[in-house]
Amino acid sequence: MNTHRKLIRRTALVATGGVAALVLAACGGNGGSGHDMGSMESTTSAPATSAPAQTGDHNTADVSFAKDMIQHHRQAVEMADLAPTRAESAETKELAAKIKGAQDPEIKTMSGWLTSWGEEVPADMSGQGHDMANGMPGMMSKADMDALMKAKGAEFDKMFAEMMIKHHEGAIEMAKKEKAEGKYGPALKLADEVIKAQTAEIEQMNKMLGRS
């Protein structure tokens, strides 16, 4: 019996030693894989630290572009809103509707950018004109806007086209500045769209005025 017990105890010790050896081997092997896991963790955590930079990838030029273009667009929409009741030409009315249809959504888009950046959306200065617009290119003065509001028929058509050409030229200048100095992808894309659309509309209005 004693011999049998000793044999069982010796077998148990050997088995325990074997398990211990396996554990040590696993730990030893894990030393390498532990480093790999650490690498994996550091790799997966890298995008988390860079994500905020990607979502807020804008600069001061983008902020200025959005704030100024919102005001610029608001005046263009204000001018376009006069056409249905004051214009004589169907082409003037159609162009005004096209301008409003394009620029109203762009105002909302740029306002959303500013909000997401923690910036204040500028107050609406409709009716106040260039006098309150910080010297933005192409903005009409309050006197200009008052004159447009009083015009009717063919006089309105001519005045609207002349003013909107200057207004569009100012917007294109602002868009080109954004392309040169801005950083935010959607803002750069919008600047491209402004240049393309408003250049075409300037050509159309010049034809309406008999200039080309």
Side-chain angles (χ1 to χ4, degrees):
M1 284 292 290
N2 288 339
T3 304
H4 183 65
R5 284 179 181 174
K6 285 179 182 178
L7 181 60
I8 291 172
R9 191 175 300 165
R10 189 176 302 164
T11 303
L13 288 172
V14 170
T16 303
V19 171
L22 285 172
V23 171
L24 287 171
C27 290
N30 218 23
S33 65
H35 178 72
D36 294 340
M37 289 297 291
S39 300
M40 287 172 65
E41 286 173 6
S42 63
T43 302
T44 53
S45 64
T49 56
S50 62
Q54 291 172 358
T55 54
D57 196 15
H58 67 282
N59 60 18
T60 54
D62 298 315
V63 174
S64 295
F65 172 72
K67 287 188 174 184
D68 289 350
M69 195 60 83
I70 284 171
Q71 295 289 30
H72 211 269
H73 274 17
R74 280 173 177 165
Q75 189 178 67
V77 170
E78 185 183 1
M79 293 165 70
D81 279 339
L82 298 172
T85 57
R86 308 201 75 78
E88 179 179 83
S89 163
E91 189 174 8
T92 299
K93 292 178 181 180
E94 287 169 9
L95 177 60
K98 182 182 176 184
I99 290 169
K100 180 180 171 71
Q103 297 194 22
D104 251 344
E106 290 173 354
I107 290 169
K108 292 181 177 67
T109 296
M110 291 184 286
S111 297
W113 295 344
L114 291 172
T115 301
S116 71
W117 297 337
E119 299 284 346
E120 193 172 335
V121 177
D124 193 344
M125 296 190 297
S126 296
Q128 298 181 54
H130 181 78
D131 310 330
M132 298 290 290
N134 301 321
M136 279 181 268
M139 287 288 282
M140 298 297 108
S141 67
K142 190 176 186 303
D144 291 332
M145 292 301 294
D146 288 345
L148 187 64
M149 288 176 189
K150 291 173 185 175
K152 198 163 186 179
E155 182 190 8
F156 176 89
D157 295 340
K158 182 175 183 291
M159 195 177 292
F160 177 85
E162 289 174 343
M163 288 186 179
M164 195 61 82
I165 286 171
K166 291 179 182 177
H167 205 270
H168 276 15
E169 287 171 346
I172 290 168
E173 182 182 333
M174 292 162 66
K176 285 180 177 177
K177 184 178 180 183
E178 165 63 13
K179 286 189 68 178
E181 301 176 8
K183 183 179 180 182
Y184 188 58
L188 296 172
K189 184 180 177 184
L190 178 59
D192 269 331
E193 290 169 356
V194 166
I195 292 168
K196 183 179 178 181
Q198 298 198 18
T199 297
E201 288 169 359
I202 288 172
E203 290 176 4
Q204 180 184 352
M205 287 184 284
N206 275 323
K207 288 178 182 177
M208 289 164 66
L209 291 168
R211 294 177 180 175
S212 58

